[in-house]
PDB file of all heavy atoms in Angstrom:
ATOM      1  N   SER A  52      10.314   6.408 -12.713  1.00  0.00           N
ATOM      2  CA  SER A  52       9.786   6.708 -11.378  1.00  0.00           C
ATOM      3  C   SER A  52       9.570   5.480 -10.597  1.00  0.00           C
ATOM      4  O   SER A  52       9.732   5.502  -9.344  1.00  0.00           O
ATOM      5  CB  SER A  52       8.475   7.477 -11.547  1.00  0.00           C
ATOM      6  OG  SER A  52       7.496   6.686 -12.145  1.00  0.00           O
ATOM      7  N   LYS A  63      15.638   0.928   5.175  1.00  0.00           N
ATOM      8  CA  LYS A  63      15.541   0.153   6.403  1.00  0.00           C
ATOM      9  C   LYS A  63      14.107  -0.010   6.894  1.00  0.00           C
ATOM     10  O   LYS A  63      13.522   0.911   7.388  1.00  0.00           O
ATOM     11  CB  LYS A  63      16.323   0.748   7.521  1.00  0.00           C
ATOM     12  CG  LYS A  63      17.788   0.793   7.113  1.00  0.00           C
ATOM     13  CD  LYS A  63      18.653   0.899   8.309  1.00  0.00           C
ATOM     14  CE  LYS A  63      20.077   0.957   7.850  1.00  0.00           C
ATOM     15  NZ  LYS A  63      21.013   1.076   8.882  1.00  0.00           N
ATOM     16  N   ALA A  70       9.468   6.438   5.173  1.00  0.00           N
ATOM     17  CA  ALA A  70       8.322   6.532   4.268  1.00  0.00           C
ATOM     18  C   ALA A  70       8.017   7.964   3.971  1.00  0.00           C
ATOM     19  O   ALA A  70       7.562   8.300   2.889  1.00  0.00           O
ATOM     20  CB  ALA A  70       7.117   5.842   4.953  1.00  0.00           C
ATOM     21  N   ALA A  93      11.637  14.619 -29.337  1.00  0.00           N
ATOM     22  CA  ALA A  93      10.589  15.437 -29.999  1.00  0.00           C
ATOM     23  C   ALA A  93      11.211  16.258 -31.135  1.00  0.00           C
ATOM     24  O   ALA A  93      10.618  16.525 -32.101  1.00  0.00           O
ATOM     25  CB  ALA A  93       9.925  16.328 -29.005  1.00  0.00           C
ATOM     26  N   VAL A 143      44.523  28.301-100.633  1.00  0.00           N
ATOM     27  CA  VAL A 143      44.515  29.473 -99.762  1.00  0.00           C
ATOM     28  C   VAL A 143      43.312  29.404 -98.832  1.00  0.00           C
ATOM     29  O   VAL A 143      42.316  28.729 -99.121  1.00  0.00           O
ATOM     30  CB  VAL A 143      44.381  30.710-100.589  1.00  0.00           C
ATOM     31  CG1 VAL A 143      45.593  30.890-101.451  1.00  0.00           C
ATOM     32  CG2 VAL A 143      43.179  30.664-101.532  1.00  0.00           C
ATOM     33  N   PRO A 155      37.989  33.088-112.594  1.00  0.00           N
ATOM     34  CA  PRO A 155      38.999  32.378-111.806  1.00  0.00           C
ATOM     35  C   PRO A 155      39.984  33.263-111.123  1.00  0.00           C
ATOM     36  O   PRO A 155      40.179  34.427-111.539  1.00  0.00           O
ATOM     37  CB  PRO A 155      39.715  31.519-112.838  1.00  0.00           C
ATOM     38  CG  PRO A 155      39.554  32.267-114.138  1.00  0.00           C
ATOM     39  CD  PRO A 155      38.256  32.981-114.036  1.00  0.00           C
ATOM     40  N   ALA A 198       8.310  18.106-125.638  1.00  0.00           N
ATOM     41  CA  ALA A 198       8.196  19.354-126.373  1.00  0.00           C
ATOM     42  C   ALA A 198       9.583  19.984-126.568  1.00  0.00           C
ATOM     43  O   ALA A 198      10.481  19.816-125.737  1.00  0.00           O
ATOM     44  CB  ALA A 198       7.234  20.329-125.699  1.00  0.00           C
ATOM     45  N   ILE A 216      27.482  17.816-113.099  1.00  0.00           N
ATOM     46  CA  ILE A 216      28.611  17.769-114.020  1.00  0.00           C
ATOM     47  C   ILE A 216      28.638  16.356-114.633  1.00  0.00           C
ATOM     48  O   ILE A 216      28.754  15.355-113.856  1.00  0.00           O
ATOM     49  CB  ILE A 216      29.958  18.063-113.296  1.00  0.00           C
ATOM     50  CG1 ILE A 216      29.871  19.480-112.664  1.00  0.00           C
ATOM     51  CG2 ILE A 216      31.117  17.961-114.300  1.00  0.00           C
ATOM     52  CD1 ILE A 216      31.080  19.831-111.806  1.00  0.00           C
ATOM     53  N   GLY A 240      36.869  26.631-107.980  1.00  0.00           N
ATOM     54  CA  GLY A 240      35.478  26.969-108.423  1.00  0.00           C
ATOM     55  C   GLY A 240      34.434  26.088-107.717  1.00  0.00           C
ATOM     56  O   GLY A 240      33.338  26.620-107.311  1.00  0.00           O
ATOM     57  N   ALA A 252      26.825  17.321-108.149  1.00  0.00           N
ATOM     58  CA  ALA A 252      26.444  15.967-108.488  1.00  0.00           C
ATOM     59  C   ALA A 252      27.234  15.533-109.740  1.00  0.00           C
ATOM     60  O   ALA A 252      27.179  16.225-110.761  1.00  0.00           O
ATOM     61  CB  ALA A 252      24.936  15.836-108.743  1.00  0.00           C
ATOM     62  N   SER A 255      27.484   9.789-114.487  1.00  0.00           N
ATOM     63  CA  SER A 255      28.140   8.885-115.438  1.00  0.00           C
ATOM     64  C   SER A 255      27.290   7.699-115.681  1.00  0.00           C
ATOM     65  O   SER A 255      26.464   7.286-114.856  1.00  0.00           O
ATOM     66  CB  SER A 255      29.522   8.503-114.916  1.00  0.00           C
ATOM     67  OG  SER A 255      30.109   7.513-115.759  1.00  0.00           O
ATOM     68  N   LEU A 257      28.722   4.806-116.002  1.00  0.00           N
ATOM     69  CA  LEU A 257      29.432   3.684-115.375  1.00  0.00           C
ATOM     70  C   LEU A 257      28.586   2.918-114.427  1.00  0.00           C
ATOM     71  O   LEU A 257      27.638   3.490-113.840  1.00  0.00           O
ATOM     72  CB  LEU A 257      30.701   4.207-114.660  1.00  0.00           C
ATOM     73  CG  LEU A 257      31.931   4.529-115.439  1.00  0.00           C
ATOM     74  CD1 LEU A 257      33.015   5.071-114.484  1.00  0.00           C
ATOM     75  CD2 LEU A 257      32.514   3.282-116.148  1.00  0.00           C
ATOM     76  N   ASP A 311      30.252  17.886-121.936  1.00  0.00           N
ATOM     77  CA  ASP A 311      31.092  18.173-123.123  1.00  0.00           C
ATOM     78  C   ASP A 311      30.334  17.957-124.433  1.00  0.00           C
ATOM     79  O   ASP A 311      30.937  18.112-125.517  1.00  0.00           O
ATOM     80  CB  ASP A 311      32.387  17.357-123.067  1.00  0.00           C
ATOM     81  CG  ASP A 311      32.147  15.862-123.168  1.00  0.00           C
ATOM     82  OD1 ASP A 311      31.002  15.463-122.958  1.00  0.00           O
ATOM     83  OD2 ASP A 311      33.102  15.138-123.475  1.00  0.00           O
ATOM     84  N   PHE A 316      22.912  17.552-121.671  1.00  0.00           N
ATOM     85  CA  PHE A 316      21.884  18.414-121.080  1.00  0.00           C
ATOM     86  C   PHE A 316      20.500  17.835-121.236  1.00  0.00           C
ATOM     87  O   PHE A 316      19.730  17.806-120.266  1.00  0.00           O
ATOM     88  CB  PHE A 316      21.898  19.817-121.767  1.00  0.00           C
ATOM     89  CG  PHE A 316      23.223  20.380-121.884  1.00  0.00           C
ATOM     90  CD1 PHE A 316      23.712  20.956-123.054  1.00  0.00           C
ATOM     91  CD2 PHE A 316      24.143  20.399-120.775  1.00  0.00           C
ATOM     92  CE1 PHE A 316      24.959  21.527-123.174  1.00  0.00           C
ATOM     93  CE2 PHE A 316      25.414  20.986-120.912  1.00  0.00           C
ATOM     94  CZ  PHE A 316      25.811  21.528-122.105  1.00  0.00           C
ATOM     95  N   GLY A 329      15.232  22.492-132.861  1.00  0.00           N
ATOM     96  CA  GLY A 329      15.682  22.540-131.438  1.00  0.00           C
ATOM     97  C   GLY A 329      16.205  23.933-131.079  1.00  0.00           C
ATOM     98  O   GLY A 329      16.945  24.055-130.100  1.00  0.00           O
TER      99      GLY A 329
END
Side-chain angles (χ1 to χ4, degrees):
S52 63
K63 300 202 180 180
V143 294
I216 302 174
S255 172
L257 278 177
D311 64 344
F316 311 133

